[in-house]
Amino acid sequence: MVTSSPPPIVLGVTGASGLLYAVRAIKFLLQAGYPIQLVASKAVHQVWQAECGLAMPVLPDKQALFWREQAQVWDGSLTCHRPTDVAAAIASGSFRTLGMVIIPCSMSTVAKLAAGLSSDLLERVADVHLKENRPLVVVPRETPFSLIHLQNLTQLAMAGARIVPAIPAWYHRPTTIEDLVDFVVARALDQLGLDCVPLKRWQGPVS
């Protein structure tokens, strides 16, 4: 557990399928004592409704409670922001963070970031992390990738982002959907140097 309050981690959540990735990331980060600054794109509301039949609140305080309910974690610091609030503290390069993870990340968001566009708070904060040379981890959830997708991801990687596709593994012998999701979450957080997901890591072949 973290004994002193570190700088927060920014979680960006976009309208890609697979919101469970974001939920599990919130769960493990809060349990480990890492403060979270969260911004969800407008499309996330539609994905929650389509995939789970749930209505995500718009007001930041109520939205934070919503995410806590999904993650079943009530401790720790979780601050949500409206995607239109481009004047939020996290939009400034002077606001210190441990890094940003966009999970899951739509290919529309990837394209905008690769082109240097900042049409909302999520994109602005990601752009700030690139220009400040801070860790930016992108977890694309799409298949198959078109050539345009691959070129945009390459452009982001060249700019310093870490690309962690939502591709699970099986060597840790998963038995639930959560096991598969947690592998991807762990590998994404690894890029920030965080080890807070109870993952059975590869130790070599069993003799």
Side-chain angles (χ1 to χ4, degrees):
M1 294 292 292
V2 179
T3 55
S4 59
S5 181
I9 294 164
V10 180
L11 279 187
V13 187
T14 74
S17 180
L19 293 177
L20 184 57
Y21 289 109
V23 170
R24 299 295 282 184
I26 291 169
K27 174 183 176 68
F28 294 120
L29 288 172
L30 289 180
Q31 287 181 336
Y34 291 101
I36 298 173
Q37 298 278 329
L38 187 148
V39 54
S41 70
K42 292 181 180 178
V44 174
H45 295 266
Q46 294 175 306
V47 179
W48 270 119
Q49 185 64 47
E51 292 190 345
C52 304
L54 297 176
M56 185 180 75
V58 174
L59 295 178
D61 289 345
K62 292 185 177 181
Q63 189 178 124
L65 179 59
F66 173 86
W67 286 108
R68 287 183 181 279
E69 289 173 344
Q70 306 313 310
Q72 287 295 290
V73 179
W74 309 104
D75 297 329
S77 175
L78 172 60
T79 303
C80 291
H81 301 272
R82 293 177 183 267
T84 55
D85 186 12
V86 293
I90 56 175
S92 171
S94 65
F95 186 87
R96 296 188 62 194
T97 74
L98 289 179
M100 179 178 186
V101 182
I102 306 178
I103 182 170
C105 187
S106 69
M107 299 316 296
S108 174
T109 299
V110 167
K112 291 177 182 178
L113 298 182
L117 299 178
S118 300
S119 59
D120 63 14
L121 178 60
L122 190 155
E123 294 157 12
R124 165 60 185 171
V125 179
D127 190 57
V128 164
H129 279 73
L130 288 176
K131 79 179 183 70
E132 297 291 334
N133 198 30
R134 295 178 189 164
L136 172 64
V137 183
V138 175
V139 183
R141 217 303 307 153
E142 184 61 270
T143 192
F145 289 135
S146 72
L147 178 58
I148 293 174
H149 297 157
L150 293 170
Q151 289 174 332
N152 287 335
L153 288 169
T154 299
Q155 186 72 13
L156 278 183
M158 291 175 63
R162 301 293 295 174
I163 311 300
V164 184
I167 301 173
W170 275 262
Y171 60 74
H172 61 301
R173 299 184 181 181
T175 59
T176 66
I177 292 176
E178 286 76 13
D179 289 340
L180 294 171
V181 169
D182 292 351
F183 177 88
V184 174
V185 172
R187 299 300 287 125
L189 296 181
D190 278 350
Q191 308 310 305
L192 301 182
L194 306 181
D195 185 11
C196 57
V197 180
L199 175 71
K200 183 179 180 181
R201 296 180 181 271
W202 178 247
Q203 301 294 325
V206 178
S207 58

